[in-house]
C-alpha cells in the first residue's frame, strides 16, 4: 500500500493512499485528527471524497458517465427507466423474470392512501410543486413506518408513489381533479396519463412523449455525490427514515445552482427573447458577473456533460416527431455556440450541463416550467435510494456525517 507524507511543524505523518477501480487516487485522512489534532479545510467539498461508492463513475475531464459500469449513452438508448432503477439500486440489470416482477410491484404500489388526498387541499394554488413534493414524501412516513424488515417494500413504495404525488401536485395547481393511476400502463405512461388526462375525455399516451420521458428520467437517475445525494447520505447517516431523507434531498435539489437550474434556464431564455434576443448583451452581463449563464458549468465536468450532448440530439428528434417548433430551442443553440466561442467560458472550462436542454424538452412535452425540478426529482430518486441503501448496508459500517470547522469567532469574553 502506498502512502503520502504530511509534514507539519517538524512532525512527519504518513497517510494511506486509496485507489478506486478506475484508478482514482485519494489520501485517506480518516485518522488525521485522532493522530495529529489537525483537520482539513475544504469549503464546498471540492477536494473531499465523502465515501466509497460502487454506483456511478464520472470522469469529468473526459466527459464520461457510467451507471454500474455501463456507459450512459448505451443505457440511455437501450433501457427503460424501471430497468435503470433496478440496476442502480440492486447493482445489476434485472433478467426478464425479475424485470416483470419489479414492474408489477412498482405498479401495484402506485396508489396513495385516500387520506393523503386531503393534504393537497391545504396548499394554496400558487404553491411550488417542489414544496408539495417534499412535504408529501415526508408525510408518507406517517403511513408507512420505516422498519428494517420493510426497507425493500418502502423503496418500492416511494418509487411507485412519487409519480402519483408529482402528478397530483400539478393537478392541484391547475384546479383539475386527480386522475388515478392505471395498472396496465408502464411507469412513464402512467405518469403522463395522471398529468394530462381529464375525466371527460379519452387520453392516449403518445409514444413520442413516453420515449422522451424515459430518456430524461434515465439521464437524471444518478450523478454520484452531488448536493442532493450528499444530503440524502448525510440525513440518512443520522438514521432518519428513507422518506425523511428523500424529502431533505428534494429540498437540496430545489436550489437554482442544482436541479432548480432547469426552470431558471427557460426563464433566462424567455428574458433574453423578450429583450430582442441580443446574445452579446446577455453574455457581457455574465462576464461582468451580474448574472450566471444558467445550464452552464459543473463542479465535476470540465468538458462536455455527456447528458447535455444526448439531450441536445434528442431535442431535435423530439421536436421533429411532435411536429413543433420552439424559437427558444434555436435561441438556446445560438447561445451555446456563442458561449463556447467566448474566452470567459473557454478559460473557465464552462460547458452546457444536463439542465441546459432538459427544460426545452419538458416544455415541448407540455410540462409547465414550475414542474421541471419535480421531473428532475422523479428521475434522481433511484440514485438517492441507491446511495442511501449502499451506506446503510456497508459491511464496514458508517458514522454519522459530522464535519468539523475552523472557528473564527470571538475569543472568550465576559457576559455581564
Ligand atoms: N455562468 C457564469 N459563470 C460561471 C458559471 C455560469 N453558469 N458557472 C461557473 N462560473 C464561473 C464562476 O463564477 C467561477 O469564476 P471565478 O473562478 O472567476 O470565480 C468559475 O466559473 C468556477 O465556478 P464555480 O462557481 O467555482 O464552480 P462550482 O463548481 O462551485 O459550481 C455550478 C458549479 C454548477 C454550481 C456553477 O457552474 C453554476 O452555478 N452554474 C449555473 C447553475 C446550473 O446550471 N446548475 C446546474 C448544475 S448541473 C445539474 C445539477 O447538478 O443539478
Amino acid at each position: 500500500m502506498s502512502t503520502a507524507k504530511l509534514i507539519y511543524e517538524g512532525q512527519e505523518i504518513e497517510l494511506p493512499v486509496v485507489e478506486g477501480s478506475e484508478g482514482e487516487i485519494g489520501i485517506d485522512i480518516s485518522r488525521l485528527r485522532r493522530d495529529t489534532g489537525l483537520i482539513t479545510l475544504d469549503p464546498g467539498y471540492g477536494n473531499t471524497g465523502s465515501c466509497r461508492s460502487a454506483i456511478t463513475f464520472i470522469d469529468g475531464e473526459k466527459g464520461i458517465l457510467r451507471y454500474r459500469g455501463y456507459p450512459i449513452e448505451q443505457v440511455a438508448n437501450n433501457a427503460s427507466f424501471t430497468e435503470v432503477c433496478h440496476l442502480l439500486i440492486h447493482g445489476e440489470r434485472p433478467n426478464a423474470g425479475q424485470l416483470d416482477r419489479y414492474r408489477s410491484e412498482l405498479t401495484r404500489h402506485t396508489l396513495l392512501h385516500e387520506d393523503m388526498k386531503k393534504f393537497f387541499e391545504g396548499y394554496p394554488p400558487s404553491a411550488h410543486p417542489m414544496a408539495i413534493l417534499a412535504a408529501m414524501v415526508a408525510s408518507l412516513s406517517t403511513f408507512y413506518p420505516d422498519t428494517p424488515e420493510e426497507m425493500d417494500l418502502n423503496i418500492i413504495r416511494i418509487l411507485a408513489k412519487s409519480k402519483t404525488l408529482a402528478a397530483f401536485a400539478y393537478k392541484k395547481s391547475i384546479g383539475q381533479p386527480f386522475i388515478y393511476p392505471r395498472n396496465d400502463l408502464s411507469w412513464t405512461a402512467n405518469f403522463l396519463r395522471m398529468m394530462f388526462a381529464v375525466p371527460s375525455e379519452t387520453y392516449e399516451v403518445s409514444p413520442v412523449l413516453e420515449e422522451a420521458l424515459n430518456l430524461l428520467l434515465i439521464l437524471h437517475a444518478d450523478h454520484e455525490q452531488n448536493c442532493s445525494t450528499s444530503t440524502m447520505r448525510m440525513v440518512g447517516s443520522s438514521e432518519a427514515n428513507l422518506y425523511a431523507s428523500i424529502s431533505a434531498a428534494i429540498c437540496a435539489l430545489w436550489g437554482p445552482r442544482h436541479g432548480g437550474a432547469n426552470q431558471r434556464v427557460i426563464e433566462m431564455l424567455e428574458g433574453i427573447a423578450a429583450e430582442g434576443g441580443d446574445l452579446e448583451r446577455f453574455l457581457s452581463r455574465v462576464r461582468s458577473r451580474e448574472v450566471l449563464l444558467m445550464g452552464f458549468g459543473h463542479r465535476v465536468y470540465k468538458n462536455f456533460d455527456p447528458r447535455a450532448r444526448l439531450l441536445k440530439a434528442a431535442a431535435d428528434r423530439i421536436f421533429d416527431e411532435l411536429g413543433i417548433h420552439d424559437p427558444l430551442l434555436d435561441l438556446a443553440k445560438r447561445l451555446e455556440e456563442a458561449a463556447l466561442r467566448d474566452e470567459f467560458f473557454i478559460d473557465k472550462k464552462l460547458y452546457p450541463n444536463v439542465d441546459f436542454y432538459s427544460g426545452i424538452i419538458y416544455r415541448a412535452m407540455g410540462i409547465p416550467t414550475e414542474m421541471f425540478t419535480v421531473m428532475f426529482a422523479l428521475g434522481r430518486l433511484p440514485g438517492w435510494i441507491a446511495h442511501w441503501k449502499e451506506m446503510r448496508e456497508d459491511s464496514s459500517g458508517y458514522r454519522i456525517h459530522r464535519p468539523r470547522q475552523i472557528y473564527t469567532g470571538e475569543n472568550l469574553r465576559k457576559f455581564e
Side-chain angles (χ1 to χ4, degrees), residues 336-355:
E336 179 192 345
E337 280 166 24
L340 292 176
R341 279 195 309 266
D342 190 307
E343 282 305 317
F344 178 91
F345 295 88
I346 296 169
D347 270 6
K348 297 186 190 307
K349 297 197 169 105
L350 300 172
Y351 293 86
N353 60 49
V354 68
D355 289 324

Side-chain angles (χ1 to χ4, degrees), residues 276-294:
D278 186 343
L279 295 182
E280 187 35 48
R281 188 156 137 232
F282 177 75
L283 289 177
S284 73
R285 290 177 63 208
V286 177
R287 284 191 294 268
S288 62
R289 294 170 190 279
E290 204 186 310
V291 289
L292 288 173
L293 173 48
M294 299 309 288

Side-chain angles (χ1 to χ4, degrees), residues 66-86:
R66 294 183 202 140
Y67 293 165
R68 300 283 187 186
Y70 297 109
I72 190 64
E73 294 78 6
Q74 292 171 19
V75 179
N77 286 326
N78 299 308
S80 68
F81 179 58
T82 308
E83 200 176 350
V84 172
C85 290
H86 192 286

